Every structure is written in structure tokens, then in C-alpha cells.
Amino acid sequence: MVKVTKINSKVYQIKIIDKEVRDFHGCVYPVKYGSSYNSYLIIDEKIVLVDTIDDIYYEEFLQHLKVLLGERTIDYIVVNHVEPDHSGCYSSIISEFPNAKTYTSIAGEKAMHAHFFKELEFTTVTKNDSVNIGEYTLRFLETPLVHWPDNMFTYLDGANILFSNDAFGQLIVDDVSYDYQVNSDYFYDLFDEYYANIVWPCNKSVGRALESFNQQNWKVDYICPAHGLIIKDEIYKVIQRYCDFVANKVSNKAVIVYETMWGNSKVMAYLLEKILVERGYDVKIFQLSKSRISEVMKELMDAKLVCIGSGNYNNCILPPVADFLERLKASQFTNRKAFVFGSYGWSKATLNNLVERLELASFKVISEPIYIQYVPNDTELLEFKQIVEKLEI
Ligand code: FEO
């Protein structure tokens, strides 16, 4: 579905809403409701297209773009980000509008050539560059590694609109256009989930980008991201929320993740939940094979403690836990505590391996693995409880 929103008399959002898709960025980010991809059209003395969309939606996108253009054509294209969800149909667009001049960052030019293998001409821009398009002026700010090295912001001076691409995105697919049209808890739930799964590993770069952005002193009335809703009422809050993420703020929260073959590690996980709640923790518990991993990653952002339980799989970690550990490593958490627990059969190697993998992911492991052989009995569970109660967490 395509939704067109008139933001002001000269600026339009063309949004593709796909409620069917369940994998965003391949297998990395399973989504609950679907996804959306935003492109923006500025019809000033010059006509500018800011970002495109995933190639699979090209035909319907072009159809709506042409309605907005009428007899006119695109003068400039801005590539804020090369990743295929935003530039996938660039080749088709430039074939349709061959006289359009394309602006991108220096890293963007390199990445565009690496994606499209053809002679394409780009004009590279940096943070002091501007392009007058009539009433408005385009200004640029590189935001490397938010999310790829090529990312940049484009600011529409005169309209006070920031085209932020991945930054401030959320995978909200409701048939509305602005942040104030949905419930705030729902908005921030999806806003946070997007940050956790796309932006969190770039935390340091986000800090640098926010600093650079603040130095511009741009007045912003609308943040127009490349995914989800336009942000109008929540501008101050979303920027502050990004600052909090960058500051790595944690709360008194523990996330328990576990996987189990015959339910024994599960018994330990639920006892652990009870003990941690009694110790004042806000606890989230997930059986990995039955949970959407994107939600788990969101809950981790402000958790100061992570508890990982696994049974054995032929002397190895159960596969969903192994996958989770790889995600932890990729997400580059810092300053977090962790410990491992689980039921084993005849080898304890699995849980020791879990500790090693957690340390490789930069977690501070605060205890030896806590394990119980085969089926936990009451005495063993009591011992487990006593150990957890004494942990310095
Ligand atoms: Fe929405 Fe980095 O792509």
C-alpha cells in the first residue's frame, strides 16, 4: 500500500506500507506488524527526491511519484543512505529521470558504485555544503555509521524539516502519518525496538552524530525518517531518548533468556525470575525459540543484568542460545553483568562455553555457572535459590 502525505505546501511523503513482511533486513530483525519505507518529494523551483525505497515496491512508488510530479520532472535526488531499503530502486529511478543530479556523501558515492556496478555520476556533499532549490535550501550533515558509513542527514532550510533516514525510524505501519496519531506507549515501543535492532550497535557513532547535529542549531519542526511516522510532537523527547541510549543508561532490570530440551532449564529460569523479583528487579523472561528476538533485544537496552540458561545439545549450547550470544556480541553492550545457569546431562562443557562467549561479548560474568544435573530436585533448587540470593548484582 502507498500512502502520500502532504507535509506542507511543497513537501510530500510517499510511504510504502507492507503489513505482510515479517523479516526486516533479512533474518536479522523479525517484525511483528510489517515495515514501511519513506521517500520525500520537495516541489520547489527545483524538484528534489529525498531517498527512494526498496526495489520490490518500485512500480507502485513510481505511479504515485508521477502523479505528484504532473508535467514536471525530478531535478535532484538526495541519497542519504545506500542500503537497499532506501536506494534499491535508485537504478530504475535514474533511468526514468536521467537528467537528475544526485547528491550523496563521499562514502555514499563509493557504496553506490559498489552496489550498482555502473557508471553513475554523483555530486558529493559534506556538512558545510548547501544547495538552493528556490524558497528552500538543502543542507547536509554526514552521520557516519548511523547506520552505515554513508549515512547522512538532509535539512530543508526554510521548511525546518530534517530528513533523518534511519535515525528516529520506527516500523509503525498504521494508516496514519504523524507521531501524535498513535498512542505514545505504542510509538515508543516500536521506536525503541527499531533502535535496539538497527541503531544500538552504532551507539558511539550516534553520540558523535547528535553532537554534530546540535552544533548546526537547525530549527526542526518535523523529523522525517525513512521508516515509520513523521515526528512532530515528540521531537524533543525522541532526541532526548537517543541521548539516553547513547549514555547507556540502565535500570534495575534483569532479562532472563533460556532454551530447554526437556523443561529442566525452564524450571530453573522461572525460579530465578521469582528470586529476582523478590530482590526488586523488573524481570523479563524469554524462551528464545518461542520469542521474537527483536523484542528480546529491545528489552536488553536498559537491563543491567542478563541471565542465560541453556541445556545441552551434544556437548554444545542449544542453537537458539548460540544465536543469541552472537547477537549479544554484535550489539556491543558495555557495563552489563551476566551469569549462566542450566541443566546438563553428562558434560558441563556447555555452560563453561557460555561463560567464554559472554566474556567475548564484553559482559562481566559475576558467577561460576550454576548447573543442575538432569532433573532438578527440591534440594538442588533450594541450593540454586541460595546461590542466586547471595549474588552481588
Ligand atoms: Fe533503513 Fe540502514 O537501512
Side-chain angles (χ1 to χ4, degrees), residues 181-220:
Q181 293 174 299
V182 295
N183 171 281
S184 163
D185 289 345
Y186 171 70
F187 175 83
Y188 281 110
D189 188 36
L190 291 168
F191 181 89
D192 291 359
E193 185 177 293
Y194 183 85
Y195 192 94
N197 288 279
I198 297 291
V199 192
W200 178 272
C202 322
N203 241 349
K204 284 187 188 146
S205 309
V206 175
R208 285 189 287 270
L210 287 174
E211 216 169 284
S212 257
F213 168 70
N214 283 336
Q215 286 165 1
Q216 305 309 307
N217 280 320
W218 288 335
K219 182 178 186 311
V220 177

Side-chain angles (χ1 to χ4, degrees), residues 52 129 143 149 151 160 169-170 172 174 218 251 270 316 335:
T52 63
D129 291 332
T143 55
N151 275 77
N160 303 339
Q170 356 78 37
I172 294 175
D174 297 51
W218 288 335
S251 62
Y270 277 89
C316 290
N335 255 343

Side-chain angles (χ1 to χ4, degrees), residues 24-25 81 83 85-86 147-148 151 165-166 194 198 226-227:
F24 182 66
H25 287 55
H81 184 21
E83 197 163 9
D85 50 337
H86 308 294
H147 154 232
W148 279 13
N151 275 77
N165 197 270
D166 276 334
Y194 183 85
I198 297 291
H227 301 286

Side-chain angles (χ1 to χ4, degrees), residues 366-384:
I366 57 167
S367 158
E368 294 293 313
I370 312 171
Y371 31 63
I372 294 174
Q373 190 171 25
Y374 293 122
V375 181
N377 63 34
D378 288 348
T379 309
E380 289 164 328
L381 288 173
L382 182 62
E383 282 170 10
F384 174 56

Side-chain angles (χ1 to χ4, degrees), residues 248-265:
N248 196 25
K249 282 191 178 172
V250 292
S251 62
N252 212 32
K253 177 175 172 184
V255 173
I256 301 171
V257 298
Y258 71 94
E259 195 47 68
T260 187
M261 200 179 292
W262 297 111
N264 299 318
S265 298

Side-chain angles (χ1 to χ4, degrees), residues 52-305:
T52 63
I53 41 92
D54 193 314
D55 197 37
I56 59 173
Y57 310 108
Y58 177 64
E59 290 305 328
E60 50 187 332
F61 173 69
L62 182 66
Q63 196 187 338
H64 286 78
L65 180 61
K66 281 186 165 174
V67 170
L68 291 175
L69 287 171
E71 297 300 307
R72 296 184 67 185
T73 188
I74 293 173
D75 298 293
Y76 303 145
I77 300 170
V78 175
V79 174
N80 277 325
H81 184 21
V82 175
E83 197 163 9
D85 50 337
H86 308 294
S87 295
C89 72
Y90 176 81
S91 248
S92 308
I93 284 285
I94 203 70
S95 301
E96 185 73 29
F97 305 98
N99 296 320
K101 182 175 178 178
T102 304
Y103 294 95
T104 191
S105 64
I106 293 167
E109 179 184 41
K110 202 171 158 193
M112 286 296 271
H113 284 307
H115 275 74
F116 294 109
F117 311 115
K118 33 167 129 157
E119 281 307 307
L120 295 167
E121 280 190 24
F122 299 99
T123 301
T124 57
V125 286
T126 71
K127 76 172 173 184
N128 294 317
D129 291 332
S130 62
V131 177
N132 182 266
I133 59 169
E135 182 186 349
Y136 300 146
T137 298
L138 301 170
R139 300 190 187 282
F140 308 97
L141 179 69
E142 297 111 313
T143 55
L145 288 170
V146 187
H147 154 232
W148 279 13
D150 55 271
N151 275 77
M152 66 176 191
F153 287 174
T154 297
Y155 177 65
L156 190 61
D157 203 347
N160 303 339
I161 295 176
L162 181 71
F163 301 106
S164 60
N165 197 270
D166 276 334
F168 308 111
Q170 356 78 37
L171 298 183
I172 294 175
V173 296
D174 297 51
D175 187 18
V176 293
S177 304
Y178 295 95
D179 52 359
Y180 57 78
Q181 293 174 299
V182 295
N183 171 281
S184 163
D185 289 345
Y186 171 70
F187 175 83
Y188 281 110
D189 188 36
L190 291 168
F191 181 89
D192 291 359
E193 185 177 293
Y194 183 85
Y195 192 94
N197 288 279
I198 297 291
V199 192
W200 178 272
C202 322
N203 241 349
K204 284 187 188 146
S205 309
V206 175
R208 285 189 287 270
L210 287 174
E211 216 169 284
S212 257
F213 168 70
N214 283 336
Q215 286 165 1
Q216 305 309 307
N217 280 320
W218 288 335
K219 182 178 186 311
V220 177
D221 292 333
Y222 300 91
I223 295 178
C224 291
H227 301 286
L229 303 182
I230 298 163
I231 299 164
K232 186 168 186 300
D233 281 10
E234 299 287 311
I235 290 174
Y236 171 76
K237 281 193 197 161
V238 296
I239 293 173
Q240 186 54 47
R241 208 159 179 102
Y242 265 37
C243 291
D244 290 346
F245 293 145
V246 170
N248 196 25
K249 282 191 178 172
V250 292
S251 62
N252 212 32
K253 177 175 172 184
V255 173
I256 301 171
V257 298
Y258 71 94
E259 195 47 68
T260 187
M261 200 179 292
W262 297 111
N264 299 318
S265 298
K266 180 177 181 177
V267 169
M268 296 175 76
Y270 277 89
L271 176 58
L272 182 55
E273 181 195 29
K274 191 165 171 280
I275 302 163
L276 291 175
V277 168
E278 281 167 6
R279 290 192 66 171
Y281 273 80
D282 169 24
V283 182
K284 305 287 176 191
I285 182 165
F286 298 97
Q287 180 173 356
L288 288 166
S289 63
K290 296 188 180 343
S291 305
R292 196 166 53 85
I293 193 68
S294 326
E295 192 185 347
V296 181
M297 300 315 288
K298 180 195 73 180
E299 293 297 346
L300 285 172
M301 284 202 295
D302 62 343
K304 69 177 185 187
L305 177 67

